[in-house]
Amino acid sequence: MELRWAFITGAGGDIGGAIADTLARRGWGVICADIDGARAETRAETIRTAGGRAAALTVDVTDEASVAAAAQAALALGDVRALINNAGRAHGSSMRKTDYASWRRDIALNLDGAFLCIHAFQEYLLAGGGSIVNMGSVNGIGMYGQPAYSAAKAGLLHLTHCLAVEFGPHNLRVNAIAPGTVRTQAWNHRMAINPAVFEEVTSFYPMGRVALPQDVANAVAFLVSDEAAYLTGVVLPVDGGISAGIPQLPAAITQER
Ligand SMILES: NC(=O)c1ccc[n+]([C@@H]2O[C@H](COP(=O)([O-])OP(=O)(O)OC[C@H]3O[C@@H](n4cnc5c(N)ncnc54)[C@H](O)[C@@H]3O)[C@@H](O)[C@H]2O)c1
């Protein structure tokens, strides 16, 4: 069987890197795509050293021409059957501290970026089938701060539903992951303010811990696998239960401790 390749954006980062490692271990060729080309190349080299198939590409997912060029290069490398729209991050904070430029940055990276990547790969994927995984967030489901980022992620989750319906007849599945807090470098600026930020956040999680990048990567690997052949339009929380509820609240309501 011909090697299937996955195009993973933000693969120079922690979650994207874990996804690339995991898919490579499961027999995928992986294209590590990132705006930081050096970090993408480091990840690809690590995978090749471990015996996997990997390549690196520099791409700015917010730039249509850059995405089109990366897609062309990726399709020249191999048979891309999975697109993982993982690049993203939150720039703004509360609504009152969000100006229009910061709103646009969050929407551009977390929503437009996925649109541009899907647009660049859709005809190829529709012709031969495959799957798309969009990296959402619990912020796209409930209120956890950062309204601009959250609105972008909510848009991405709804786009997932729309495309699952449109692409389903072509055997192109479209799913999303909604992680809660994941221990990654994206939290470094918060760690600088409060080194105990993860401990503070942990108390709200039913499972009593925050996620590791591998928790998210395992879910992505399942969604792109043939075991998930009948799953499309799914938003899978990988959140230790926080979108189901917060442990302190029932205790406060019932006064049972
Ligand atoms: N860490 C969390 O708590 C958490 C929670 C929920 C969802 N997520 C989502 O998971 C995804 C990965 O986050 P992470 O925590 O691994 O972050 P990270 O900062 O470790 O990785 C993000 C990667 O995206 C790349 N990137 C940024 N802008 C880009 C652009 N314009 N084009 C291409 N690449 C670009 C960065 O260079 C970086 O390598 C994001 O979509 C994020 O919103 C993270």
Side-chain angles (χ1 to χ4, degrees):
M1 195 174 139
E2 200 189 335
L3 183 68
R4 292 185 297 180
W5 287 79
F7 184 89
I8 306 160
T9 68
D14 290 334
I15 294 174
I19 294 168
D21 284 348
T22 305
L23 293 191
R25 282 199 302 272
R26 295 188 186 196
W28 287 80
V30 293
I31 298 162
C32 301
D34 203 288
I35 198 167
D36 187 334
R39 292 189 59 196
E41 178 52 38
T42 300
R43 178 62 62 176
E45 180 59 29
T46 305
I47 291 168
R48 287 192 295 265
T49 303
R53 296 286 298 273
L57 288 173
T58 305
V59 65
D60 177 354
V61 298
T62 68
D63 181 306
E64 188 175 9
S66 171
V67 172
Q72 200 180 6
L75 294 173
L77 273 167
D79 184 28
V80 176
R81 290 290 150 216
L83 165 63
I84 319 297
N85 287 311
N86 165 74
R89 85 168 289 160
H91 301 101
S93 54
S94 67
M95 184 64 181
R96 295 174 80 187
K97 289 185 179 160
T98 301
D99 60 16
Y100 186 52
S102 143
W103 167 268
R104 285 293 328 146
R105 264 182 96 190
D106 270 327
I107 302 294
L109 178 55
N110 296 288
L111 183 55
D112 296 359
F115 167 82
L116 289 174
C117 290
I118 292 166
H119 203 259
F121 281 99
Q122 63 190 4
E123 294 310 326
Y124 188 85
L125 290 171
L126 285 165
S131 87
I132 297 170
V133 177
N134 294 320
M135 193 57 64
S137 167
V138 292
N139 286 59
I141 300 171
M143 169 51 183
Y144 300 90
Q146 301 168 308
Y149 171 79
S150 301
K153 291 295 192 184
L156 185 58
L157 299 184
H158 194 60
L159 183 67
T160 301
H161 291 139
C162 294
L163 300 189
V165 175
E166 184 174 337
F167 294 165
H170 303 272
N171 197 30
L172 175 54
R173 301 182 296 106
V174 189
N175 294 296
I177 308 272
T181 302
V182 189
R183 193 180 282 272
T184 73
Q185 63 184 340
W187 284 72
N188 285 356
H189 62 294
R190 299 182 188 128
M191 289 272 283
I193 299 166
N194 174 11
V197 63
F198 286 120
E199 288 68 34
E200 193 174 330
V201 165
T202 290
S203 67
F204 296 99
Y205 279 85
M207 299 274 314
R209 69 173 176 89
V210 300
L212 297 172
Q214 190 64 52
D215 292 309
V216 180
N218 291 342
V220 173
F222 169 64
L223 286 177
V224 299
S225 76
D226 294 336
E227 287 156 7
Y230 199 56
L231 270 68
T232 195
V234 167
V235 174
L236 181 61
V238 179
D239 68 352
I242 200 168
S243 61
I246 294 168
Q248 291 91 327
L249 194 54
I253 291 168
T254 62
Q255 289 298 303
E256 288 174 21
R257 313 250 177 213

